[in-house]
Amino acid sequence: MPDWEDLRHFVVLAREGTLSAAARLLGVDHATVARRVAALESDTGLKLVDRRARSYQLTDDGRRIAATAMPMEEAAFAVGRAVQAAKPGLRGEVSISSPPSLANALIAPQLFRLRRRHPGIQIKLIGEKRTASLNRREADVALRLSRPSEPGLIARKIGSFGFSLYGAAAYLKQTPRHALAFIAYDDSMDDAPQQKWLKAIAAGNEIVLRTSDLENQAAAARTGVGLAVLPHFLGDPDPQLTRYETTPTPPSREVWLVVHRDLRQAPLVRAVMEFLTDCIKAK
Amino acid sequence: MPDWEDLRHFVVLAREGTLSAAARLLGVDHATVARRVAALESDTGLKLVDRRARSYQLTDDGRRIAATAMPMEEAAFAVGRAVQAAKPGLRGEVSISSPPSLANALIAPQLFRLRRRHPGIQIKLIGEKRTASLNRREADVALRLSRPSEPGLIARKIGSFGFSLYGAAAYLKQTPRHALAFIAYDDSMDDAPQQKWLKAIAAGNEIVLRTSDLENQAAAARTGVGLAVLPHFLGDPDPQLTRYETTPTPPSREVWLVVHRDLRQAPLVRAVMEFLTDCIKAK
DNA sequence: CGGGCATTGTGCAAAATCTCACATCAAGAA
DNA sequence: TTCTTGATGTGAGATTTTGCACAATGCCCG
């Protein structure tokens, strides 16, 4: 039976493609990954990778072995979840994955409540566009803007929010309707409903700024660059921004609270889920 | 994520029950198992075992974690099979599990043929009563006397053989029918068909020897201790043994060739399966 | 074409791990 | 009881593994 640690390193290498990336992910030196893969090759008597100049290329055998070792990794994640779920009481770390806008505007400002109520809980708040995989234990709970379909996950809709166009009051006053400029996401967000809506509404007008960051869009809109589609929870409290009403109104989005089945009973996780629900409900 | 090697050691400990047994199975020192389990506990922050005077007792958490880690072990076995299956050509070791009688009388004497035909193949012949688990990779192929039902295994009936009562010629001549003594398996084999049959037929007569080893039974019968139920392939070629015909005749048994689905295509394994089929067919 | 930039390969010293030997302890047999 | 057997605990030395620093290489981009 091959060394399980060797397999772990090899699986990550197979997924990441390079020694360095695998090493970063595993938190070890790249030399260690290289040596462990070599050890696995010598153990199994199979050539698993072609060592090319700048990249490790899996051989057919390598792909085959990596594929059969994947279920091991999934089982390992299940062990990790079982460990997390077995932790009694309300002490420990919980990681939350959330879209950056929600994290900044609704979660972070409320964290002090959670700490007051459960002083033993440490939060790791991951505000990333990329949806972290709960199955891979990249986070314990997540907020998502649409219902996820991954197996093993449990999702509950805990709220929704609307969008409007916002701009600086002076800008709206001075600019004739046909000359209004727009601020949009970059292409990577082309499939988001609010972006589609904007593209439709802005058909004839100029899109003067594209940025992937919502905070940037708001900042630009505040200074009179143009109109941005912002969620109400971001635009309404801002004294420098004014809604610009349109028909049709922009789409609204749902907020889903997602957790893995294995973790939903853990007291630590339940407390955080309750907190997140309050954050969204009370916005 | 916990260290996979720690998990491997812990799973074996959980199954074996003692440090020493786990250490033997893993081929390491017992101190290594103890330290790895301790490391796993410190990693997870959970108490997994109660260290009692002479034994490691799993805690509830320990049982839970061990249970979730079992699938990892099964996946590891699958990797092992994939490795074995990926070996090209006809070089390497193949292990055969077989009932001892078949191994001694039909397989071992023919091994020279296999070696002549495929000089690159090394055979490990495990003649044990205990049925080795092909799923756990305790053997690559197996001969069984009944169709196995484990998942993932493929079985083919490759032959059958009959039993008869055998005794020394002189003994049979001298002894009146009602005084014939019998030689039987010990209690551990009470569920074997030939043993049941013997118990029925021998209802009134004395059972003078009980032994788990068929070779012993044959030896005793040869020297006139009594009558033993022996397979034909064992009794017929023996010049010192004579059949004692009865009605009803003893049951016959089937011979099944068993292999894991993952291995059946490997050239190495196929060659050995072909060899085993010939051994049984040509008896 | 040349300069970054990221990747893999290598030798060495340090750190972690394992084996080994011995000690201790409990249970069961004589 | 005393002896034997098989289990776990512990410390020292040997071995293995790892990280680090540096070299070499190929790619991308200006």
Side-chain angles (χ1 to χ4, degrees), chain B residues 67-273:
Chain B
T68 62
M70 291 283 181
M72 251 183 109
E73 201 187 26
E74 306 207 356
F77 286 127
V79 172
R81 287 193 298 269
V83 169
Q84 172 81 330
K87 294 237 162 82
L90 290 166
R91 312 195 64 78
E93 184 181 285
V94 178
S95 59
I96 306 171
S97 163
S98 158
S101 51
L102 288 182
N104 296 335
L106 299 183
I107 312 299
Q110 305 294 324
L111 276 178
F112 76 99
R113 291 183 199 281
L114 180 65
R115 284 212 53 83
R116 197 164 50 196
R117 205 164 133 70
H118 303 297
I121 300 186
Q122 290 115 37
I123 290 293
K124 184 171 158 194
L125 182 56
I126 311 168
E128 275 190 337
K129 284 256 170 47
R130 196 180 73 85
T131 59
S133 162
L134 296 192
N135 274 316
R136 308 190 63 77
R137 277 189 65 57
E138 291 167 0
D140 294 317
V141 294
L143 291 179
R144 300 268 176 89
L145 300 186
S146 55
R147 172 166 213 149
S149 59
E150 295 160 69
L153 266 43
I154 292 179
R156 204 172 78 231
K157 182 180 164 186
I158 59 171
S160 66
F161 59 89
F163 289 88
S164 284
L165 283 173
Y166 288 87
Y171 174 76
L172 289 173
K173 207 186 235 170
Q174 293 162 9
T175 316
R177 184 187 173 81
H178 64 87
L180 286 171
F182 289 100
I183 300 168
Y185 276 115
D186 63 21
D187 299 341
S188 70
M189 292 287 286
D190 270 358
D191 47 351
Q194 64 271 31
Q195 173 91 333
K196 285 180 183 166
W197 175 88
L198 179 64
K199 288 209 164 180
I201 215 89
N205 302 56
E206 187 183 12
I207 293 183
V208 72
L209 170 64
R210 292 170 159 277
T211 168
S212 66
D213 188 274
L214 208 57
E215 238 6 284
N216 288 357
Q217 296 188 25
R222 268 196 291 269
T223 57
V225 173
L227 298 182
V229 194
L230 300 177
H232 292 155
F233 64 77
L234 215 76
D236 287 349
D238 192 323
Q240 303 180 64
L241 287 175
T242 309
R243 277 202 201 184
Y244 178 78
E245 300 293 351
T246 57
T247 52
T249 57
S252 69
R253 303 215 58 173
E254 302 171 338
V255 181
W256 291 81
L257 177 62
V258 192
V259 66
H260 196 284
R261 192 195 306 126
D262 297 351
L263 292 182
R264 70 165 177 233
Q265 302 287 7
L268 210 51
V269 172
R270 290 185 78 89
V272 172
M273 288 172 67

Side-chain angles (χ1 to χ4, degrees), chain A residues 163-165 177 197 200-201 244-251:
Chain A
F163 289 87
S164 284
L165 283 174
R177 185 185 171 86
W197 175 87
I201 214 88
Y244 180 78
E245 301 293 350
T246 57
T247 51
T249 57

Side-chain angles (χ1 to χ4, degrees), chain A residues 107-213:
Chain A
I107 312 299
Q110 303 295 324
L111 277 176
F112 76 99
R113 292 183 198 280
L114 179 66
R115 285 212 52 83
R116 197 164 53 196
R117 206 164 133 70
H118 303 296
I121 301 185
Q122 289 116 36
I123 290 292
K124 183 172 160 195
L125 183 56
I126 311 168
E128 277 190 337
K129 284 258 170 47
R130 197 181 72 84
T131 58
S133 162
L134 297 191
N135 274 316
R136 309 190 62 79
R137 277 188 65 54
E138 292 167 0
D140 295 316
V141 294
L143 292 179
R144 302 266 175 90
L145 300 186
S146 56
R147 170 163 218 151
S149 59
E150 296 160 69
L153 266 42
I154 292 179
R156 206 172 77 231
K157 183 182 162 186
I158 59 172
S160 66
F161 59 88
F163 289 87
S164 284
L165 283 174
Y166 289 86
Y171 175 76
L172 288 174
K173 207 187 231 169
Q174 293 164 9
T175 317
R177 185 185 171 86
H178 64 87
L180 286 171
F182 289 101
I183 301 166
Y185 277 115
D186 62 23
D187 300 341
S188 70
M189 291 287 286
D190 270 358
D191 46 353
Q194 64 271 28
Q195 173 91 335
K196 285 182 183 165
W197 175 87
L198 178 64
K199 290 210 163 180
I201 214 88
N205 302 55
E206 187 185 13
I207 293 183
V208 72
L209 171 65
R210 293 170 159 275
T211 168
S212 66
D213 189 273

